[in-house]
Amino acid sequence: NFNFGSKLQDLRLLNCSLTDTSFLISSTPTVNSSSSLLSLYLSSNLLKSSNIFYWLFNSTTNLRTLDLSDNMLEGPVPDGFGKVMNSLEVLDLSSNKLQGEIPSFFGNMCTLQMLVLSHNKLNGEISSFIENSSWCNRHIFQGLDLSSNQITGMLPKSIGLLSELKYLYLDGNNLEGDVTESHLSSFSKLERLSLSENSLSLKFVPSWVPPFQLEGLGLRSCKLAPTFPSWLQTQRSLTFLDISDNGLNDSVPEWFWNNLQYVQYLNMSYNNFRGAIPNLSLKLVNNPSIILNSNQFEGKVPSFLLQAWELKLSGNKLSDLFSFLCDQSIGAKMGILDLSNNQIKGEIPDCWKSVKALMIVDLSNNKLSGQIPMSMGSLVELKALVLRKNNLTGELPSSLKNCSNLIMLDLGDNMLSGRIPSWIGESMQQLIILNMPGNHFSGYLPNTLCYLKHIQLLDLSRNKLTNGIPTCLKNFTALSEKSINTSDTMQRVYRFNRTYSEVYVSFSLGDYTFNVTWMWKGAEQGFRNPELFLKSIDLSSNNLTGEIPKEIGYLVGLVSLNLSRNNLSGEIPSEIGNLSSLDSLDLSNNHFSGIIPYSLSQIDDLGKLNLSYNCLSGRIPLERHFETFDASSFEGNNDLCGEQVNKSCPGDGEQRRKESEEEAVNGKGDDNDFKEALYMSMGIGYFTGFWGFLGAILLRRPSRNAYGRLFNKMTNYIC
């Protein structure tokens, strides 16, 4: 129940948890149509029903700006906008749940300059919206955003009537057909255009010179044709460009790179661009995000790209890294570097002190050799270091202990050697992912690993580790909790160091996806953002000895445990049954003895079990879903018996005999009930007949005397 003062012109109630009941219509309007309120911002609240619209149409008809974005508004757009809101200039209804066709009356609101309806569920043909309106406002209409809806049809050429447009966003719909230069030839003032993620085909003649100078252009998945769009040469003011996933099969002309001076975001990934990227003397003013993944670029990485905040060049054929990193003439402010899946050879350059702002480094799946350079330890802001699947050798440099902000350390599938340093646990206590399988690490597991209270993915498999499993693993706090606190994890993974947030205010680590390759249920699989849903320990294929510590039972959040192919012995601890979240357990190829603990059969979520090739004995449990595991889960244990291995257990015959006897005594089902009734009726009949006969003799004197004489005769005869 708002009561606005007569002079209030601008009201902003953003993120105030306002609901529909906050805007009830009373019999006495609190604000009449002569209200002075001109701008009303109600975004990011909890508005849902049409109450807010009725309130608006009755109370604030002189509004010029209305923002209802990021609420939960449902149903069709009410026609009151076209009937009552005669002064509206800017309308934002984005990020709601509005449905139905886009009303044509928006084109009849003669004062409307900006219409934002993105991220709803609006549908219908775009041609109906464009062609069924008078567009009396076309001389002032500057912005139309219909992105991320369900709008269909072909883009009509009559859209050219809106010649004053500066912003046109149609991305994320179901539009189809061709878009030619005739669709856009009247947009001389256009600054931002986005047609991405439709089924459109852009067919511009090579000689076309657009009448506009764009700042932002989004043409992702727009079938631009195989050759590089030459008309982009005329666009010298671009700060945002996305031409990814367009099937472009061409080299990139040098003039294009020279036009990137003011770019903030460039995405040309998932095409087939080939050739070398020229090393230009070019200043990138805005430290852009440059994404060139999944192309055929080759040769050296040019040093001018050091000026990018984010550089993604994975999935190309690049072969040289030295000149890129070691050019000291460029003041690098890079935060994310992804050069994975290339053909980079030689040693990792020892020039990392020049890129101290790096937070993500991914050089995985290349042909790098030699040792990890000491200067990598200068990357104190690093959150992820991924060097897996190379040919790196030697021990881990002690300087890496300076990287105390690491969330992910992935060094798997190299030839690294030496002991696992104690400083990993002492200095890298923020680690969530520690992935070092397939190396030559030796010695024992240091107890300091137990300091990693946030660890969720620990893989040290396929090394040469010896001795026992530390009992302190109960200190793995994150693995001792059944659920993952995703909000806390996201905050720690993607939060910014305050030192750099001022410089890179428009970027975030949320653009980077953590990827790991993990042995899951016996097969190598890739996972995206595993820190949000996986909890796993893999110590398989080492030389570990001793028993499984009973403290394993504390890790109730563990989803996968692999201790196979070691020299572990003793009994499987019953505490392993506490791991109620376990989906995969592999203890195969060890020397475990004794029985399979009954508690193991009580884990309801266990989907994969491998206990093969040990020295286990006794009966395999049948409880719950344990009977679903076949013989392969237990083979190589000669003293195991049970239905799963089709082998009877000692005493099974005696057990069956006892069961048969119990069935004979106790009966079964309805047959048992019938016998009980039969025996009872026979007893009652006998009792009644006996005392009926005897009672008659005893109660009558003649009968009593006759019975006495008969008894005496029988006695004399027997004697």
Side-chain angles (χ1 to χ4, degrees):
N1 296 318
F2 294 101
N3 188 6
F4 305 130
S6 59
K7 295 183 180 180
L8 183 64
Q9 295 187 351
D10 190 299
L11 177 62
R12 300 171 187 259
L13 298 172
L14 286 68
N15 199 20
C16 293
S17 300
L18 298 176
T19 63
D20 298 332
T21 57
S22 304
F23 298 93
L24 297 177
I25 302 297
S26 62
S27 56
T28 306
T30 56
V31 181
N32 56 39
S33 59
S34 62
S35 168
S36 61
L37 192 64
L38 301 179
S39 301
L40 179 59
Y41 298 86
L42 299 176
S43 65
S44 303
N45 282 291
L46 304 173
L47 304 175
K48 184 175 182 180
S49 74
S50 55
N51 280 1
I52 180 62
F53 294 125
Y54 295 138
W55 181 84
L56 287 167
F57 300 153
N58 283 275
S59 308
T60 59
T61 54
N62 290 329
L63 278 178
R64 295 181 183 174
T65 299
L66 175 60
D67 184 356
L68 292 173
S69 63
D70 195 20
N71 279 282
M72 298 181 290
L73 298 170
E74 299 176 330
V77 180
D79 57 6
F81 283 105
K83 295 178 179 179
V84 180
M85 294 289 185
N86 298 319
S87 302
L88 205 59
E89 297 175 357
V90 177
L91 175 60
D92 189 347
L93 299 177
S94 63
S95 300
N96 281 285
K97 299 178 181 179
L98 296 171
Q99 300 171 324
E101 295 188 3
I102 305 173
S104 58
F105 60 68
F106 283 129
N108 301 326
M109 297 171 65
C110 299
T111 60
L112 193 63
Q113 300 177 25
M114 184 79 68
L115 177 61
V116 183
L117 300 174
S118 61
H119 293 91
N120 279 286
K121 298 179 181 180
L122 299 170
N123 53 40
E125 296 265 335
I126 190 170
S127 57
S128 298
F129 170 60
I130 299 296
E131 295 174 350
N132 292 337
S133 301
S134 66
W135 294 109
C136 58
N137 60 339
R138 61 179 177 268
H139 61 290
I140 58 171
F141 193 60
Q142 298 180 9
L144 177 62
D145 187 351
L146 304 179
S147 60
S148 299
N149 279 285
Q150 300 165 12
I151 303 168
T152 58
M154 301 175 64
L155 188 66
K157 293 184 179 180
S158 56
I159 196 172
L161 289 172
L162 309 180
S163 57
E164 298 296 312
L165 277 179
K166 292 182 178 180
Y167 314 105
L168 178 58
Y169 300 97
L170 301 176
D171 52 282
N173 282 287
N174 299 314
L175 302 177
E176 57 188 0
D178 296 342
V179 176
T180 66
E181 57 272 14
S182 60
H183 287 87
L184 306 176
S185 58
S186 63
F187 295 142
S188 60
K189 298 181 180 179
L190 200 62
E191 297 176 6
R192 294 186 177 273
L193 172 65
S194 184
L195 303 176
S196 297
E197 295 180 335
N198 284 285
S199 297
L200 297 169
S201 296
L202 270 65
K203 296 183 177 179
F204 301 142
V205 296
S207 59
W208 181 50
V209 178
F212 43 72
Q213 277 293 321
L214 294 176
E215 296 177 3
L217 176 61
L219 299 177
R220 180 171 61 253
S221 305
C222 276
K223 303 174 186 175
L224 280 175
T227 58
F228 194 88
S230 57
W231 59 272
L232 286 178
Q233 186 171 6
T234 64
Q235 305 302 299
R236 301 183 180 276
S237 302
L238 285 170
T239 60
F240 179 99
L241 176 62
D242 187 348
I243 54 173
S244 61
D245 190 27
N246 269 294
L248 294 167
N249 186 3
D250 201 354
S251 58
V252 180
E254 187 168 324
W255 58 257
F256 174 78
W257 302 109
N258 280 312
N259 278 0
L260 298 181
Q261 183 176 2
Y262 299 104
V263 73
Q264 295 178 0
Y265 179 89
L266 171 65
N267 191 345
M268 300 198 302
S269 62
Y270 297 98
N271 284 290
N272 197 29
F273 291 126
R274 57 183 184 270
I277 303 173
N279 192 14
L280 306 173
S281 298
L282 179 65
K283 183 172 179 59
L284 302 178
V285 176
N286 293 313
N287 302 116
S289 177
I290 297 179
I291 304 172
L292 305 174
N293 295 347
S294 301
N295 283 287
Q296 301 292 321
F297 290 118
E298 56 190 29
K300 298 180 178 181
V301 183
S303 57
F304 82 90
L305 292 178
L306 267 176
Q307 301 171 85
W309 153 249
E310 175 184 28
L311 180 61
K312 294 183 178 181
L313 276 164
S314 68
N316 283 282
K317 297 181 178 180
L318 300 166
S319 57
D320 188 281
L321 186 60
F322 183 85
S323 58
F324 167 68
L325 276 178
C326 299
D327 189 340
Q328 304 297 321
S329 64
I330 295 177
K333 297 179 180 179
M334 183 171 290
I336 297 176
L337 175 63
D338 185 356
L339 291 170
S340 61
N341 299 288
N342 277 280
Q343 300 174 7
I344 302 174
K345 302 176 183 178
E347 297 187 355
I348 300 176
D350 197 6
C351 305
W352 295 92
K353 291 182 180 180
S354 63
V355 282
K356 289 183 178 180
L358 275 170
M359 295 184 181
I360 306 289
V361 174
D362 190 345
L363 303 178
S364 62
N365 204 13
N366 279 285
K367 300 178 181 179
L368 295 165
S369 58
Q371 299 187 1
I372 299 174
M374 289 289 291
S375 63
M376 270 197 156
S378 63
L379 305 178
V380 295
E381 299 299 328
L382 208 58
K383 286 186 174 289
L385 176 60
V386 185
L387 302 177
R388 69 171 176 262
K389 292 189 177 179
N390 281 286
N391 300 309
L392 300 174
T393 58
E395 299 184 1
L396 299 184
S398 59
S399 62
L400 282 182
K401 65 184 178 183
N402 298 324
C403 304
S404 57
N405 289 308
L406 274 175
I407 298 291
M408 176 179 180
L409 177 61
D410 188 349
L411 307 175
D413 296 301
N414 282 282
M415 295 182 286
L416 298 167
S417 58
R419 294 180 178 271
I420 294 178
S422 61
W423 47 257
I424 287 183
E426 294 168 344
S427 302
M428 298 181 176
Q429 295 187 22
Q430 299 301 314
L431 277 176
I432 295 177
I433 301 169
L434 178 58
N435 197 27
M436 301 198 299
N439 283 285
H440 303 311
F441 290 116
S442 58
Y444 58 86
L445 290 168
N447 285 333
T448 54
L449 285 180
C450 296
Y451 296 161
L452 303 177
K453 63 180 181 179
H454 298 295
I455 200 73
Q456 291 175 199
L457 295 170
L458 175 62
D459 190 350
L460 302 175
S461 64
R462 294 180 288 122
N463 281 287
K464 300 177 180 179
L465 301 172
T466 57
N467 290 25
I469 301 172
T471 59
C472 61
L473 49 74
K474 66 180 181 181
N475 295 329
F476 290 152
T477 305
L479 294 177
S480 301
E481 300 171 351
K482 283 195 173 184
S483 60
I484 294 176
N485 188 337
T486 54
S487 60
D488 175 68
T489 302
M490 289 286 287
Q491 183 181 4
R492 290 193 305 107
V493 171
Y494 297 122
R495 72 183 175 191
F496 265 88
N497 184 298
R498 189 169 298 176
T499 306
Y500 300 96
S501 61
E502 295 178 2
V503 180
Y504 307 117
V505 67
S506 61
F507 299 97
S508 74
L509 290 180
D511 293 334
Y512 182 84
T513 300
F514 286 90
N515 294 279
V516 296
T517 300
W518 209 262
M519 289 298 295
W520 191 260
K521 295 186 178 182
E524 191 174 76
Q525 298 184 36
F527 292 93
R528 295 168 61 86
N529 288 331
E531 74 282 358
L532 299 181
F533 60 92
L534 283 187
K535 292 184 177 183
S536 175
I537 292 178
D538 191 346
L539 302 178
S540 63
S541 301
N542 282 286
N543 297 311
L544 298 174
T545 57
E547 299 183 354
I548 299 177
K550 295 180 179 179
E551 287 78 4
I552 194 78
Y554 286 96
L555 307 183
V556 296
L558 205 59
V559 176
S560 175
L561 176 62
N562 191 348
L563 302 178
S564 65
R565 294 176 176 81
N566 281 286
N567 293 309
L568 297 169
S569 58
E571 296 187 353
I572 299 173
S574 60
E575 288 81 1
I576 206 166
N578 297 335
L579 308 184
S580 55
S581 302
L582 207 60
D583 178 63
S584 176
L585 175 63
D586 192 345
L587 303 180
S588 64
N589 293 278
N590 280 286
H591 306 293
F592 293 118
S593 58
I595 64 171
I596 298 173
Y598 172 79
S599 60
L600 195 56
S601 67
Q602 304 303 299
I603 304 177
D604 291 330
D605 293 331
L606 193 60
K608 181 183 184 300
L609 175 67
N610 192 350
L611 302 178
S612 63
Y613 298 101
N614 282 286
C615 304
L616 298 169
S617 59
R619 185 186 301 274
I620 301 172
L622 271 175
E623 282 73 16
R624 300 197 181 183
H625 66 295
F626 227 68
E627 61 184 3
T628 63
F629 299 122
D630 60 25
S632 65
S633 296
F634 309 102
E635 63 184 347
N637 293 278
N638 295 330
D639 294 328
L640 279 179
C641 58
E643 293 185 9
Q644 295 93 330
V645 292
N646 196 27
K647 180 181 179 181
S648 61
C649 294
D652 277 357
E654 179 66 19
Q655 180 69 21
R656 282 194 293 271
R657 186 185 66 79
K658 289 181 178 180
E659 291 174 354
S660 298
E661 290 178 354
E662 290 177 0
E663 290 175 5
V665 172
N666 298 325
K668 289 186 178 179
D670 295 337
D671 192 37
N672 188 52
D673 294 339
F674 171 75
K675 289 179 179 179
E676 288 182 1
L678 177 62
Y679 295 152
M680 185 177 294
S681 63
M682 291 174 64
I684 293 173
Y686 174 80
F687 177 85
T688 304
F690 175 78
W691 283 107
F693 170 73
L694 186 61
I697 293 174
L698 296 177
L699 291 175
R700 297 177 66 242
R701 177 176 289 185
S703 298
R704 185 168 61 245
N705 293 335
Y707 179 75
R709 288 193 297 269
L710 177 63
F711 181 77
N712 289 333
K713 287 182 178 181
M714 290 182 65
T715 303
N716 293 331
Y717 175 78
I718 294 172
C719 295

